[in-house]
Amino acid sequence: MPLPRPRRPRSSLRITFAISFAAVAAAVTLLVGFLSYDAAAGLVRVDQQSVFGEVIHDLRSQVRQQPLGYGDFVQTDPDHDGPRDDLRRPTRTDVQIIRPTGTVADRGSPALPVGAAERRMAASRTAGLVERRDVEIGDERFRMATVSLGAGRGAVQVAQQFSDSEDLLRELQKRTALFVGAAIVAAGVAGWWLAGRITRRLVRLTGVAESVTATGRMDVAVPVAGEDEVGRLGRAFDGMLGQLARSKDDQRRLVQDAGHELRTPLTSLRTNISLLRRFEELPPSTREELLADLTGETRELTDLVNELVSLAAGQRDDEPRAATSLGEVAHRAAGLARRRTGREIVVTADDTVVDGRSASLQRAITNLVENAAKFDQEGTTPIEVVIDGGRVAVLDRGPGVAEEDRHRVFDRFYRAPGARSLPGSGLGLAIVREVAAAHGGTVFAERRAGGGAVMGFTVGEPPPATTGRPPTTRRDGPG
């Protein structure tokens, strides 16, 4: 049966990852792009201005070293190999020549403005004077310098267009913006892909959890691949589902078994109660049997309910774990069992101390001793409780345990064929198994040499320092 398809959430880790990748890429790319553009723009502007300054410096040096008139700069050479061409080559500058009278002898392209300052430079007696200003011609801006030729021989105007470098910077700006956009898109796509790979197992695990919540089914396949946190989470979730499934199955079997076991005493009680209506008509012997039967069935029902409560309490024991002496627990359990059964009980215990729950361990040992007393009805020999390290064993001289029953005597409500006529709920030894499992141990049932049974359980490994003293023996019995 296919699992129901989980509803896709409006927001997911994959979308969050993709947006986060894109946001980080945008921030980093914008920062790098801005810094790169700013550095490049500064270098371009400084370089253009430096070249223009060198041109003006070379022109001033030239007119100071030799007398040149405005006619020397007028374009007459068809091969373009004159002083004017030398000025235009380095930076593609615009050159315009002014006569001493302030009129233009050779117009630039475009024509440069001639004002009072430029006419003053043209009439100046000193060579190499410079007048600088920025001008606008049409829609373009220029940096312009006018250099006097001296002795009233005119002046040379040199202009460099701002828009050349600005066009270059605008193109750089456009490409930087395209690069930033492409980087953001690429980061978003990469984040979407990478997030899909990272969260794929987590999404599947989420789908399984939602399916379990929606259907209550726990027999689903859980993705447990990988050694990272997601893999560990999958294995933990799979183990948790397994434990829940086992707990649910145990609960169902407990209810079924308890219902089955409760029917017998309840049916008997119902029958006997119906006979009470004719109690006065019954002969005395029948009355005694009826009352005895009612008393026995009531006791059986009470014991069964108490055992069920004890079993359930053992599964949810809130008693804190603490260092517990198994010998002291065994002596308390032996004393309680002696008062209930009147049997002599011998406890042989070393000084083993375990990390456990004292009340649960005492309940388990008490159940074992009472079980031994029930089967060893002759009572000619004492029941023995032996504590050896983390092993608790109860020995009796009863009929023993059949080989086919050894692995079933600790099951809930199981009764061996020879024990079905004896009183009991069939839960006492099941409680022993629950206590042993809660303390990291197991149960065992063996035949005793010379007749009888050895039944008990183990507790998790005790600390090495707690098993150094030899066992001591103490008898608990009547008198």
Side-chain angles (χ1 to χ4, degrees), residues 75-103:
Q75 185 64 52
T76 58
D77 187 354
D79 295 331
H80 301 285
D81 197 24
R84 177 172 178 165
D85 296 312
D86 293 338
L87 293 175
R88 299 186 63 177
R89 288 193 187 100
T91 58
R92 293 176 298 175
T93 53
D94 188 15
V95 179
Q96 182 170 278
I97 311 303
I98 306 176
R99 296 186 182 93
T101 59
T103 60

PDB file of all heavy atoms in Angstrom, residues 75-103:
ATOM      1  N   GLN A  75      48.152  72.955 -39.404  1.00  0.00           N
ATOM      2  CA  GLN A  75      48.285  71.712 -40.147  1.00  0.00           C
ATOM      3  C   GLN A  75      48.562  72.001 -41.619  1.00  0.00           C
ATOM      4  O   GLN A  75      47.712  72.494 -42.355  1.00  0.00           O
ATOM      5  CB  GLN A  75      46.990  70.893 -40.037  1.00  0.00           C
ATOM      6  CG  GLN A  75      47.085  69.526 -40.692  1.00  0.00           C
ATOM      7  CD  GLN A  75      48.103  68.632 -40.000  1.00  0.00           C
ATOM      8  OE1 GLN A  75      48.063  68.464 -38.801  1.00  0.00           O
ATOM      9  NE2 GLN A  75      49.049  68.099 -40.761  1.00  0.00           N
ATOM     10  N   THR A  76      49.821  71.716 -42.050  1.00  0.00           N
ATOM     11  CA  THR A  76      50.203  71.895 -43.452  1.00  0.00           C
ATOM     12  C   THR A  76      50.843  70.643 -44.020  1.00  0.00           C
ATOM     13  O   THR A  76      50.893  70.475 -45.230  1.00  0.00           O
ATOM     14  CB  THR A  76      51.194  73.076 -43.596  1.00  0.00           C
ATOM     15  OG1 THR A  76      52.346  72.822 -42.776  1.00  0.00           O
ATOM     16  CG2 THR A  76      50.531  74.394 -43.178  1.00  0.00           C
ATOM     17  N   ASP A  77      51.322  69.773 -43.147  1.00  0.00           N
ATOM     18  CA  ASP A  77      52.002  68.559 -43.610  1.00  0.00           C
ATOM     19  C   ASP A  77      50.953  67.518 -44.006  1.00  0.00           C
ATOM     20  O   ASP A  77      50.160  67.078 -43.167  1.00  0.00           O
ATOM     21  CB  ASP A  77      52.895  68.014 -42.489  1.00  0.00           C
ATOM     22  CG  ASP A  77      53.758  66.837 -42.976  1.00  0.00           C
ATOM     23  OD1 ASP A  77      53.571  66.410 -44.118  1.00  0.00           O
ATOM     24  OD2 ASP A  77      54.577  66.356 -42.155  1.00  0.00           O
ATOM     25  N   PRO A  78      50.930  67.092 -45.312  1.00  0.00           N
ATOM     26  CA  PRO A  78      49.924  66.092 -45.719  1.00  0.00           C
ATOM     27  C   PRO A  78      50.118  64.746 -45.061  1.00  0.00           C
ATOM     28  O   PRO A  78      49.205  63.932 -45.001  1.00  0.00           O
ATOM     29  CB  PRO A  78      50.128  66.004 -47.241  1.00  0.00           C
ATOM     30  CG  PRO A  78      51.523  66.467 -47.472  1.00  0.00           C
ATOM     31  CD  PRO A  78      51.812  67.510 -46.447  1.00  0.00           C
ATOM     32  N   ASP A  79      51.328  64.466 -44.566  1.00  0.00           N
ATOM     33  CA  ASP A  79      51.573  63.179 -43.887  1.00  0.00           C
ATOM     34  C   ASP A  79      51.226  63.234 -42.402  1.00  0.00           C
ATOM     35  O   ASP A  79      51.463  62.263 -41.674  1.00  0.00           O
ATOM     36  CB  ASP A  79      53.050  62.767 -44.054  1.00  0.00           C
ATOM     37  CG  ASP A  79      53.401  62.494 -45.513  1.00  0.00           C
ATOM     38  OD1 ASP A  79      52.486  62.079 -46.246  1.00  0.00           O
ATOM     39  OD2 ASP A  79      54.578  62.702 -45.893  1.00  0.00           O
ATOM     40  N   HIS A  80      50.713  64.364 -41.955  1.00  0.00           N
ATOM     41  CA  HIS A  80      50.327  64.535 -40.525  1.00  0.00           C
ATOM     42  C   HIS A  80      51.503  64.205 -39.608  1.00  0.00           C
ATOM     43  O   HIS A  80      51.397  63.353 -38.734  1.00  0.00           O
ATOM     44  CB  HIS A  80      49.117  63.645 -40.188  1.00  0.00           C
ATOM     45  CG  HIS A  80      47.922  63.961 -41.029  1.00  0.00           C
ATOM     46  ND1 HIS A  80      47.142  65.075 -40.842  1.00  0.00           N
ATOM     47  CD2 HIS A  80      47.392  63.310 -42.105  1.00  0.00           C
ATOM     48  CE1 HIS A  80      46.163  65.093 -41.731  1.00  0.00           C
ATOM     49  NE2 HIS A  80      46.300  64.024 -42.522  1.00  0.00           N
ATOM     50  N   ASP A  81      52.606  64.885 -39.859  1.00  0.00           N
ATOM     51  CA  ASP A  81      53.795  64.604 -39.049  1.00  0.00           C
ATOM     52  C   ASP A  81      54.350  65.875 -38.441  1.00  0.00           C
ATOM     53  O   ASP A  81      55.555  66.053 -38.302  1.00  0.00           O
ATOM     54  CB  ASP A  81      54.860  63.913 -39.907  1.00  0.00           C
ATOM     55  CG  ASP A  81      55.928  63.220 -39.065  1.00  0.00           C
ATOM     56  OD1 ASP A  81      55.594  62.888 -37.883  1.00  0.00           O
ATOM     57  OD2 ASP A  81      57.044  63.029 -39.545  1.00  0.00           O
ATOM     58  N   GLY A  82      53.456  66.795 -38.085  1.00  0.00           N
ATOM     59  CA  GLY A  82      53.904  68.052 -37.501  1.00  0.00           C
ATOM     60  C   GLY A  82      53.711  68.090 -36.013  1.00  0.00           C
ATOM     61  O   GLY A  82      53.244  67.121 -35.400  1.00  0.00           O
ATOM     62  N   PRO A  83      54.064  69.261 -35.371  1.00  0.00           N
ATOM     63  CA  PRO A  83      53.904  69.384 -33.917  1.00  0.00           C
ATOM     64  C   PRO A  83      52.474  69.182 -33.453  1.00  0.00           C
ATOM     65  O   PRO A  83      52.229  68.649 -32.376  1.00  0.00           O
ATOM     66  CB  PRO A  83      54.404  70.797 -33.640  1.00  0.00           C
ATOM     67  CG  PRO A  83      55.286  71.147 -34.790  1.00  0.00           C
ATOM     68  CD  PRO A  83      54.705  70.446 -35.978  1.00  0.00           C
ATOM     69  N   ARG A  84      51.522  69.652 -34.301  1.00  0.00           N
ATOM     70  CA  ARG A  84      50.119  69.487 -33.900  1.00  0.00           C
ATOM     71  C   ARG A  84      49.742  68.007 -33.828  1.00  0.00           C
ATOM     72  O   ARG A  84      49.040  67.573 -32.911  1.00  0.00           O
ATOM     73  CB  ARG A  84      49.230  70.211 -34.905  1.00  0.00           C
ATOM     74  CG  ARG A  84      47.745  70.026 -34.598  1.00  0.00           C
ATOM     75  CD  ARG A  84      46.929  70.904 -35.497  1.00  0.00           C
ATOM     76  NE  ARG A  84      45.504  70.688 -35.244  1.00  0.00           N
ATOM     77  CZ  ARG A  84      44.549  71.503 -35.664  1.00  0.00           C
ATOM     78  NH1 ARG A  84      44.871  72.588 -36.342  1.00  0.00           N
ATOM     79  NH2 ARG A  84      43.272  71.239 -35.413  1.00  0.00           N
ATOM     80  N   ASP A  85      50.215  67.233 -34.780  1.00  0.00           N
ATOM     81  CA  ASP A  85      49.899  65.796 -34.761  1.00  0.00           C
ATOM     82  C   ASP A  85      50.565  65.088 -33.582  1.00  0.00           C
ATOM     83  O   ASP A  85      50.043  64.105 -33.055  1.00  0.00           O
ATOM     84  CB  ASP A  85      50.331  65.147 -36.080  1.00  0.00           C
ATOM     85  CG  ASP A  85      49.542  65.704 -37.259  1.00  0.00           C
ATOM     86  OD1 ASP A  85      48.298  65.764 -37.144  1.00  0.00           O
ATOM     87  OD2 ASP A  85      50.156  66.077 -38.249  1.00  0.00           O
ATOM     88  N   ASP A  86      51.727  65.582 -33.203  1.00  0.00           N
ATOM     89  CA  ASP A  86      52.395  64.984 -32.030  1.00  0.00           C
ATOM     90  C   ASP A  86      51.557  65.175 -30.768  1.00  0.00           C
ATOM     91  O   ASP A  86      51.605  64.342 -29.852  1.00  0.00           O
ATOM     92  CB  ASP A  86      53.774  65.629 -31.840  1.00  0.00           C
ATOM     93  CG  ASP A  86      54.739  65.275 -32.971  1.00  0.00           C
ATOM     94  OD1 ASP A  86      54.483  64.237 -33.637  1.00  0.00           O
ATOM     95  OD2 ASP A  86      55.715  66.010 -33.177  1.00  0.00           O
ATOM     96  N   LEU A  87      50.800  66.272 -30.714  1.00  0.00           N
ATOM     97  CA  LEU A  87      49.951  66.507 -29.542  1.00  0.00           C
ATOM     98  C   LEU A  87      48.715  65.619 -29.551  1.00  0.00           C
ATOM     99  O   LEU A  87      48.212  65.240 -28.499  1.00  0.00           O
ATOM    100  CB  LEU A  87      49.513  67.987 -29.509  1.00  0.00           C
ATOM    101  CG  LEU A  87      50.615  69.021 -29.265  1.00  0.00           C
ATOM    102  CD1 LEU A  87      50.043  70.436 -29.379  1.00  0.00           C
ATOM    103  CD2 LEU A  87      51.250  68.822 -27.894  1.00  0.00           C
ATOM    104  N   ARG A  88      48.219  65.273 -30.725  1.00  0.00           N
ATOM    105  CA  ARG A  88      46.972  64.536 -30.818  1.00  0.00           C
ATOM    106  C   ARG A  88      47.157  63.026 -30.642  1.00  0.00           C
ATOM    107  O   ARG A  88      46.225  62.325 -30.249  1.00  0.00           O
ATOM    108  CB  ARG A  88      46.301  64.800 -32.174  1.00  0.00           C
ATOM    109  CG  ARG A  88      45.957  66.268 -32.389  1.00  0.00           C
ATOM    110  CD  ARG A  88      45.168  66.457 -33.653  1.00  0.00           C
ATOM    111  NE  ARG A  88      43.880  65.752 -33.565  1.00  0.00           N
ATOM    112  CZ  ARG A  88      42.960  65.799 -34.535  1.00  0.00           C
ATOM    113  NH1 ARG A  88      43.178  66.490 -35.640  1.00  0.00           N
ATOM    114  NH2 ARG A  88      41.831  65.128 -34.395  1.00  0.00           N
ATOM    115  N   ARG A  89      48.349  62.533 -30.973  1.00  0.00           N
ATOM    116  CA  ARG A  89      48.515  61.076 -30.971  1.00  0.00           C
ATOM    117  C   ARG A  89      48.347  60.424 -29.605  1.00  0.00           C
ATOM    118  O   ARG A  89      47.699  59.391 -29.486  1.00  0.00           O
ATOM    119  CB  ARG A  89      49.891  60.715 -31.561  1.00  0.00           C
ATOM    120  CG  ARG A  89      49.972  60.918 -33.058  1.00  0.00           C
ATOM    121  CD  ARG A  89      51.222  60.263 -33.623  1.00  0.00           C
ATOM    122  NE  ARG A  89      51.391  60.588 -35.036  1.00  0.00           N
ATOM    123  CZ  ARG A  89      52.209  61.521 -35.486  1.00  0.00           C
ATOM    124  NH1 ARG A  89      52.945  62.213 -34.640  1.00  0.00           N
ATOM    125  NH2 ARG A  89      52.303  61.756 -36.779  1.00  0.00           N
ATOM    126  N   PRO A  90      48.962  60.952 -28.522  1.00  0.00           N
ATOM    127  CA  PRO A  90      48.945  60.182 -27.256  1.00  0.00           C
ATOM    128  C   PRO A  90      47.548  59.900 -26.714  1.00  0.00           C
ATOM    129  O   PRO A  90      47.257  58.797 -26.275  1.00  0.00           O
ATOM    130  CB  PRO A  90      49.744  61.074 -26.296  1.00  0.00           C
ATOM    131  CG  PRO A  90      50.590  61.921 -27.180  1.00  0.00           C
ATOM    132  CD  PRO A  90      49.761  62.181 -28.411  1.00  0.00           C
ATOM    133  N   THR A  91      46.678  60.909 -26.749  1.00  0.00           N
ATOM    134  CA  THR A  91      45.369  60.735 -26.103  1.00  0.00           C
ATOM    135  C   THR A  91      44.218  61.131 -27.002  1.00  0.00           C
ATOM    136  O   THR A  91      43.114  61.363 -26.522  1.00  0.00           O
ATOM    137  CB  THR A  91      45.300  61.588 -24.821  1.00  0.00           C
ATOM    138  OG1 THR A  91      45.540  62.954 -25.175  1.00  0.00           O
ATOM    139  CG2 THR A  91      46.295  61.131 -23.799  1.00  0.00           C
ATOM    140  N   ARG A  92      44.457  61.206 -28.278  1.00  0.00           N
ATOM    141  CA  ARG A  92      43.414  61.615 -29.231  1.00  0.00           C
ATOM    142  C   ARG A  92      42.772  62.923 -28.790  1.00  0.00           C
ATOM    143  O   ARG A  92      41.559  63.085 -28.732  1.00  0.00           O
ATOM    144  CB  ARG A  92      42.345  60.524 -29.349  1.00  0.00           C
ATOM    145  CG  ARG A  92      42.856  59.256 -29.975  1.00  0.00           C
ATOM    146  CD  ARG A  92      41.814  58.183 -29.979  1.00  0.00           C
ATOM    147  NE  ARG A  92      41.420  57.825 -28.610  1.00  0.00           N
ATOM    148  CZ  ARG A  92      40.451  56.977 -28.317  1.00  0.00           C
ATOM    149  NH1 ARG A  92      39.767  56.409 -29.304  1.00  0.00           N
ATOM    150  NH2 ARG A  92      40.161  56.701 -27.074  1.00  0.00           N
ATOM    151  N   THR A  93      43.629  63.876 -28.457  1.00  0.00           N
ATOM    152  CA  THR A  93      43.162  65.181 -28.000  1.00  0.00           C
ATOM    153  C   THR A  93      42.760  66.057 -29.178  1.00  0.00           C
ATOM    154  O   THR A  93      43.125  65.820 -30.331  1.00  0.00           O
ATOM    155  CB  THR A  93      44.270  65.891 -27.196  1.00  0.00           C
ATOM    156  OG1 THR A  93      45.465  65.928 -27.977  1.00  0.00           O
ATOM    157  CG2 THR A  93      44.544  65.154 -25.902  1.00  0.00           C
ATOM    158  N   ASP A  94      41.985  67.071 -28.839  1.00  0.00           N
ATOM    159  CA  ASP A  94      41.580  68.076 -29.831  1.00  0.00           C
ATOM    160  C   ASP A  94      42.518  69.271 -29.686  1.00  0.00           C
ATOM    161  O   ASP A  94      42.741  69.767 -28.570  1.00  0.00           O
ATOM    162  CB  ASP A  94      40.129  68.478 -29.579  1.00  0.00           C
ATOM    163  CG  ASP A  94      39.586  69.363 -30.681  1.00  0.00           C
ATOM    164  OD1 ASP A  94      40.223  69.423 -31.744  1.00  0.00           O
ATOM    165  OD2 ASP A  94      38.523  69.985 -30.469  1.00  0.00           O
ATOM    166  N   VAL A  95      43.068  69.739 -30.802  1.00  0.00           N
ATOM    167  CA  VAL A  95      44.055  70.836 -30.792  1.00  0.00           C
ATOM    168  C   VAL A  95      43.512  71.988 -31.638  1.00  0.00           C
ATOM    169  O   VAL A  95      43.013  71.779 -32.749  1.00  0.00           O
ATOM    170  CB  VAL A  95      45.419  70.361 -31.328  1.00  0.00           C
ATOM    171  CG1 VAL A  95      46.413  71.532 -31.328  1.00  0.00           C
ATOM    172  CG2 VAL A  95      45.949  69.208 -30.491  1.00  0.00           C
ATOM    173  N   GLN A  96      43.662  73.180 -31.085  1.00  0.00           N
ATOM    174  CA  GLN A  96      43.233  74.391 -31.805  1.00  0.00           C
ATOM    175  C   GLN A  96      44.304  75.455 -31.627  1.00  0.00           C
ATOM    176  O   GLN A  96      44.842  75.615 -30.528  1.00  0.00           O
ATOM    177  CB  GLN A  96      41.881  74.868 -31.279  1.00  0.00           C
ATOM    178  CG  GLN A  96      41.326  76.097 -31.987  1.00  0.00           C
ATOM    179  CD  GLN A  96      39.891  76.368 -31.580  1.00  0.00           C
ATOM    180  OE1 GLN A  96      38.966  75.766 -32.096  1.00  0.00           O
ATOM    181  NE2 GLN A  96      39.728  77.306 -30.638  1.00  0.00           N
ATOM    182  N   ILE A  97      44.607  76.214 -32.756  1.00  0.00           N
ATOM    183  CA  ILE A  97      45.695  77.204 -32.743  1.00  0.00           C
ATOM    184  C   ILE A  97      45.079  78.598 -32.751  1.00  0.00           C
ATOM    185  O   ILE A  97      44.171  78.891 -33.541  1.00  0.00           O
ATOM    186  CB  ILE A  97      46.625  77.026 -33.956  1.00  0.00           C
ATOM    187  CG1 ILE A  97      47.052  75.539 -34.097  1.00  0.00           C
ATOM    188  CG2 ILE A  97      47.845  77.918 -33.841  1.00  0.00           C
ATOM    189  CD1 ILE A  97      47.721  74.982 -32.875  1.00  0.00           C
ATOM    190  N   ILE A  98      45.625  79.476 -31.870  1.00  0.00           N
ATOM    191  CA  ILE A  98      45.126  80.853 -31.751  1.00  0.00           C
ATOM    192  C   ILE A  98      46.232  81.815 -32.189  1.00  0.00           C
ATOM    193  O   ILE A  98      47.395  81.690 -31.777  1.00  0.00           O
ATOM    194  CB  ILE A  98      44.696  81.178 -30.311  1.00  0.00           C
ATOM    195  CG1 ILE A  98      43.680  80.140 -29.815  1.00  0.00           C
ATOM    196  CG2 ILE A  98      44.126  82.589 -30.216  1.00  0.00           C
ATOM    197  CD1 ILE A  98      43.287  80.357 -28.363  1.00  0.00           C
ATOM    198  N   ARG A  99      45.867  82.811 -33.047  1.00  0.00           N
ATOM    199  CA  ARG A  99      46.798  83.862 -33.458  1.00  0.00           C
ATOM    200  C   ARG A  99      47.025  84.825 -32.297  1.00  0.00           C
ATOM    201  O   ARG A  99      46.234  84.861 -31.338  1.00  0.00           O
ATOM    202  CB  ARG A  99      46.226  84.637 -34.651  1.00  0.00           C
ATOM    203  CG  ARG A  99      46.052  83.813 -35.923  1.00  0.00           C
ATOM    204  CD  ARG A  99      45.628  84.742 -37.062  1.00  0.00           C
ATOM    205  NE  ARG A  99      45.398  83.990 -38.300  1.00  0.00           N
ATOM    206  CZ  ARG A  99      44.224  83.520 -38.683  1.00  0.00           C
ATOM    207  NH1 ARG A  99      43.147  83.715 -37.931  1.00  0.00           N
ATOM    208  NH2 ARG A  99      44.127  82.877 -39.837  1.00  0.00           N
ATOM    209  N   PRO A 100      48.055  85.629 -32.423  1.00  0.00           N
ATOM    210  CA  PRO A 100      48.304  86.629 -31.366  1.00  0.00           C
ATOM    211  C   PRO A 100      47.137  87.579 -31.180  1.00  0.00           C
ATOM    212  O   PRO A 100      46.932  88.117 -30.080  1.00  0.00           O
ATOM    213  CB  PRO A 100      49.555  87.348 -31.853  1.00  0.00           C
ATOM    214  CG  PRO A 100      50.244  86.370 -32.741  1.00  0.00           C
ATOM    215  CD  PRO A 100      49.153  85.603 -33.415  1.00  0.00           C
ATOM    216  N   THR A 101      46.366  87.794 -32.207  1.00  0.00           N
ATOM    217  CA  THR A 101      45.229  88.707 -32.102  1.00  0.00           C
ATOM    218  C   THR A 101      44.045  88.086 -31.397  1.00  0.00           C
ATOM    219  O   THR A 101      43.044  88.748 -31.145  1.00  0.00           O
ATOM    220  CB  THR A 101      44.790  89.144 -33.515  1.00  0.00           C
ATOM    221  OG1 THR A 101      44.440  87.975 -34.269  1.00  0.00           O
ATOM    222  CG2 THR A 101      45.911  89.900 -34.214  1.00  0.00           C
ATOM    223  N   GLY A 102      44.107  86.790 -31.109  1.00  0.00           N
ATOM    224  CA  GLY A 102      43.029  86.103 -30.423  1.00  0.00           C
ATOM    225  C   GLY A 102      42.069  85.414 -31.350  1.00  0.00           C
ATOM    226  O   GLY A 102      41.094  84.790 -30.885  1.00  0.00           O
ATOM    227  N   THR A 103      42.330  85.474 -32.662  1.00  0.00           N
ATOM    228  CA  THR A 103      41.477  84.745 -33.601  1.00  0.00           C
ATOM    229  C   THR A 103      42.024  83.345 -33.790  1.00  0.00           C
ATOM    230  O   THR A 103      43.188  83.064 -33.535  1.00  0.00           O
ATOM    231  CB  THR A 103      41.407  85.486 -34.944  1.00  0.00           C
ATOM    232  OG1 THR A 103      42.733  85.578 -35.469  1.00  0.00           O
ATOM    233  CG2 THR A 103      40.808  86.881 -34.785  1.00  0.00           C
TER     234      THR A 103
END
